Each structure stands twice: as structure tokens, then as C-alpha cells.
Amino acid sequence: MGVSLNTSRVSAFFNSSQRYLYRKGEVILRAGDIPSGIYYIEKGFVKMYSVMLDGSENLYLIHQPGEVFPGPWLFGYETGNLTFEAITPVIIRRKSKSETLAFLNSEAEAAREALDMAIYIIDVLFNRIENLELTNSFSRVTKRLLILSKRFGTRNGFKVALSMPLTHTNIANSINMSRETTSREMEKLKRKNIITEKNHFITIENIEKLENELTDYFESK
Amino acid sequence: MGVSLNTSRVSAFFNSSQRYLYRKGEVILRAGDIPSGIYYIEKGFVKMYSVMLDGSENLYLIHQPGEVFPGPWLFGYETGNLTFEAITPVIIRRKSKSETLAFLNSEAEAAREALDMAIYIIDVLFNRIENLELTNSFSRVTKRLLILSKRFGTRNGFKVALSMPLTHTNIANSINMSRETTSREMEKLKRKNIITEKNHFITIENIEKLENELTDYFESK
DNA sequence: CGCAAATTTGAACATCGTCAACTCTAGTGG
DNA sequence: CCACTAGAGTTGACGATGTTCAAATTTGCG
């Protein structure tokens, strides 16, 4: 599972710079701060979120190794109120904005790799929107798990293990549901032996069964 | 308002091909069909949506002139269950997938323009997600109108006119609310003289007031 | 003018969020 | 090794909010 893009130029570019280490829970880039450059994730997972005016946390996406942020800022868009935070130990490489732009303009291959990365993110965001457009808690949670499997899962037969720890709060924040409702729906899936959790690592015990839950749900309506 | 990207190479590339005309309501690319190529919008607006298993329509985004679809398909992703439909009269230019890929690989400038377009779409999608993560109908509708103003609006003082017709159903489908609820919230804004509608064209009479509605709403909580 | 599409309105109903009390678990330090 | 603590998850009751359905009205277009 997952997608393997060829981003050898991009990674080589960032690998020439210094390494920065972050512990789990550390903020890498805080909302409102001017980014110190473009961040490349060598290892670990980074959640990108904003805090709404009412204090609720709004999770946009989780970046994985090989990805770069904040992409839109590189091209003149606001990073606005986005915060980037390590949800596991993280190793970052960093280049300045101007260096990165110069790199993209100097090598045709580089721009092409960056384009591939951008298109991949667009695909991820389409999935997020599809997820958020579902209208009830069960299908939202189920779909969320399917998307996470596709993006972060390691498959073994019907079993899919997610590669990073996720709290129910994380999931709730990403699908715009309360933590309690999210827990209740996950509990249903656990009782059906479709998923298990251990130390915040989620395993889908049977990915086909999980997919069927969604279609069954709609058919029963 | 709106964003002006420099996409002169891309538009020149597509302008050498045949023109296709579509009437309002016509489907340009149907869910499940293999795309006949890459479509460039010379004129008009195209909505991209999917139909869920329960029959509800799920609007992902509205493409405007100068934009290209289906982007992810060009790079090997599924167009899956997406339908593209003209919401105004539309003029399309079209190139084959292989020609378009060859074009991107041949000119460094072309890849760079395509990258700019992709990043712009990412920004649009971030806004969509931010919109969908709001938890109540009034702020969802208000935010939706603000986003539409930014992307499709023509400003004149505090007044912003949207450049394409939108039914309440269109808006409801894009923010995952029922048509009735959407209408009720828009009615509130009309009564406050913040927006007007004529023949499905929405005008924000006072964009600052509209922005204040959102912040006021949160502050009162 | 007349049909079809879009919108308005009201009322009953369902779902989810909120709150509060409780339990479980992993990690910390004596 | 055990007790403590903080963070995370569970559960039940209740109320708020939005959906649904149906009927009436308005609007746009041929």
C-alpha cells in the first residue's frame, strides 16, 4: 500500500542540509510564525492542524516521511493559522525558501518531482473531502479508517497495520466529530473483530470486512 | 479578487487543439468513463462531483476558466466516481494524456506552470476542508460564501459579485448540509441585507459585514 | 401563459454533541 | 516493584441542532 513517488532529486537536495530532531508532541512550526524555510520529513509523522476561534482543533492532514511542508507558502500562499506538530519522534531537513525555489527552477526533473508530490497531496485532500461529506458518524469513522489504511497502512493478507499511533481525539479532529462519538463507532468495529488497538496503534484485522461495512451501511438505508 | 497565475505556456499548448462546446447542465466527463484526454476550460464553469451510494450529490470543487481536469488522472490516479458537468455554457480544449505528459516533460517552464496550478488547487482544497470542519449551519454557509467570493468574486467597493450562477442545492451539496437548512441560513443573511440573489447569481452586498458575521458568531459562543 | 425547477415554511423526528462521572493504561519516581 | 499521576477512553442522560417529509409558493424560461 501507500504510494511510491520518485522523488530522488528532491530528497538529495534536502539531504545536504542539517538535521533537526523533534520529540513526540513538539511543535515544528507554530500558527502565525513565519516559516524558517521548507521542511522535509526524513523520519516520523507530522500533523498539520489549525485551532478554530472556538478552541476546537481541526486536523487537515498527516504528513509522512518524504513529504515537504508548507508547500503553498513556498509559492506565495499564506500558512495562515496552520500549526505543524510531531506526533512521533521526527527528523527534519530544512532549506530556505529562496534556495528551494532556485532548485525547482534550475532542474526540470526537480519541478517534475515537485509536481508529482503536489498531485499526490491533491489526491489525499480529495479523499479528506469525500470523507467529510459523509453524513453520519459510522460511515465517517469507517471511511476514515479505510483512507488511513491506504495512506499509512502495511498490508499482510487481509490485515493492515497503521504505521503511526493515533488517539481517538486525533481521528475525531480529522472527521469533525466529537471524541465520544468517534470512540463509540470504533467500539462497534472492535466488537465485530474488524479492528484492534494496542498502545494507540490501530490494526485493521480484515480490510475487506471493513470495506463491506460501508457498502452494507448504505444498502440498508 | 481571484488569483492570476502565469500559465501562458499551458494555455498556448491547449489552444492549438479543437474547441468543444457544452451547454449548461451537460456532462463533460461521466463517472466511470475513461477520460478522452485532458480538458482545459477556455470559458465557463464546471462542477466536479460524485454521487454517493445513498444517491446524494457530493460537490468537490468548481473549476473556472484556465483550469485543467482531471489532474490526478494525468498522473496515474483514479478519476473514480467523479463526474464533471457544465454549470454554465462551457468551451473546452482537449489534448490526449500522452501529448500532455510529453509537453510537461519537454518544457521546464510548462512543468513549473503546472506546479503552480496544482498548488493553487491545494489551496482551494484546504479552504474546502476548513469549511467542512465548521460545526454549525450558519458558520458553514457564511464561510462558504466568503470562500466563493475569494475564488469567483468581482469586487467593487464592499460589494462582491459572484461570476457564476449557483442554486441553493449547489451550495448545500458542497457543504454537506441539506438544501432546506442552507436556504434558511441564506435567508438570515438576506434579511440582514448582507447578500442578495438574482437569477441564481449571488452578490455579497458588504463583504466586511459578512466577515464580521463569522467572527461575531464565534465570539458569542 | 404554463410548466418545471427552485425555494420557502412548518412540524415531527433522529442524530450527534455536551457534560459529568468513571475506568483504564502507560509512564514516572520513590 | 509498587503507588501515583496524567492522559486517554468509556458510558449514560439529555438537549441542541439539523434532516426529513410534505405542502405551498415563487421564479425562470420556452
Side-chain angles (χ1 to χ4, degrees), chain B residues 45-102:
Chain B
F45 295 89
V46 175
K47 71 172 174 178
M48 161 179 151
Y49 65 95
S50 68
V51 178
M52 305 264 86
L53 288 167
D54 64 357
S56 64
E57 185 176 314
N58 178 335
L59 200 160
Y60 289 84
L61 63 80
I62 296 173
H63 276 300
Q64 62 179 335
E67 294 178 2
V68 159
F69 63 84
W73 177 73
L74 179 60
F75 299 97
Y77 295 89
E78 303 275 324
T79 43
N81 47 7
L82 296 176
T83 294
F84 295 82
E85 183 180 321
I87 59 174
T88 63
V90 163
I91 301 174
I92 292 287
R93 306 276 191 171
R94 208 174 69 199
K95 288 280 193 179
S96 75
K97 190 178 186 173
S98 55
E99 270 181 295
T100 311
L101 282 174

Side-chain angles (χ1 to χ4, degrees), chain A residues 64-108:
Chain A
Q64 61 180 335
E67 294 177 3
V68 159
F69 63 86
W73 177 73
L74 179 60
F75 299 97
Y77 296 87
E78 302 275 324
T79 41
N81 47 7
L82 295 176
T83 294
F84 295 82
E85 182 180 321
I87 58 174
T88 63
V90 163
I91 301 174
I92 293 286
R93 306 276 191 170
R94 207 175 70 200
K95 288 280 193 180
S96 75
K97 190 177 186 174
S98 56
E99 269 181 297
T100 310
L101 283 173
F103 165 68
L104 288 180
N105 289 324
S106 67
E107 297 188 36

